[in-house]
Amino acid sequence: MDTSLSLARGTAATASIPVSAPRTGGGMERVADDKAMLRAAADLTRDLVKPRPAIYWADLIASMVVGYGALAVAATSTSTPVAIVAGVVAMLGLYRGLSFIHEVSHMKHASVPNFRLGWNVLVGVPLLTPSFMYEGVHNLHHAKTRYGTVEDPEYLPLALMKPWTLPLFIVVSALAPIALLIRFAILSPISLLSPQLRTMIVERYSALAINPQFRRRAPEGEAKAYWDRLEIAASLWAITLIAITVTGVLPLRAFVTIFAVASAFAVLNQVRTLVAHLWENDGEPMTVTAQYLDTVNVPPPALLPALWAPVGLRYHALHHLLPGLPYHALGEAHRRITAELDALSPYHKASYPGLPGLVSKIARSTMVRR
């Protein structure tokens, strides 16, 4: 981006390339890039791009201490109310820790040394979601020519689909822990004996994606070596988990509690995914501004998004403007840009007050298309 031009507040210079973008009430309209908004986002946040390792480590470790500690209480408590409360706390703590996979997929690893390794040890392998499930996948969602198209692994035009697809989209996520256990404890070892099965696993069962048409490419070189190490670790842990449950070392109640908590945060994440975008694009390429308007910010004063959209995910639209900005800088970036751009800027159109209204919006959109 050319930084030699100055930004005048409220300027609405736009490109002339028409692209698809969502409009109120559903459907698509043609819109062009708003250069003033893009310039402001870049110029006002240049001093915020450096990640702060201390924040990353403290946040991750605290999240996992709370998550695993509460999980242990939930799995062993003889009091049902205590177990339920501890289970909810465990869900929120583990969900926050798991959400750092988004940061891992974006960061330059040298900027936060050993964080990817630490995250995989504390979260990725124990929760059977090693970082290779998102690295090399999520970046495709941010590719300028892929977003919202059939080549985007993280996009479905949910707002344009049948009403029954929304509850199905949520309910199926509850089965994610079982699917991951099968994938790593059974399919991974068996695939060593079958190249055809191995290809299918890599292409279809090695990505945190929602687009059923997405097929992942096999990793190569250093990426493959790292993938293999993580997959071996996750497979050994999955097999061990089954073995200690079958032999009674891990009580069945504890096993069920672990999977109930895992299912709960998988569902919570799926609900967050449901409202992360408006999902109104029908497959046409979109400019950055159009992509931004199809994405959602849920900024303060709302408080609950800090729980259901943690680690900066409440600023998802802003993240699509500035994907390299660390999560701990997004709040300040949003405040600066909001103050700089006038009320007519499209920047403000991506902010919503909370979860209920977003769920209602997409539900109404599917009902209109019955």
Side-chain angles (χ1 to χ4, degrees), residues 233-246:
S235 292
L236 290 175
W237 167 237
I239 292 169
T240 299
L241 185 59
I242 292 174
I244 61 178
T245 302
V246 170

Side-chain angles (χ1 to χ4, degrees), residues 180-210:
L180 289 170
L181 189 64
I182 293 172
R183 190 256 186 254
F184 286 105
I186 299 174
L187 296 182
S188 283
I190 294 177
S191 71
L192 297 176
L193 306 175
S194 170
Q196 185 176 4
L197 176 61
R198 184 62 190 168
T199 298
M200 182 178 69
I201 289 174
V202 169
E203 289 182 348
R204 303 183 62 179
Y205 306 124
S206 297
L208 299 178
I210 65 172

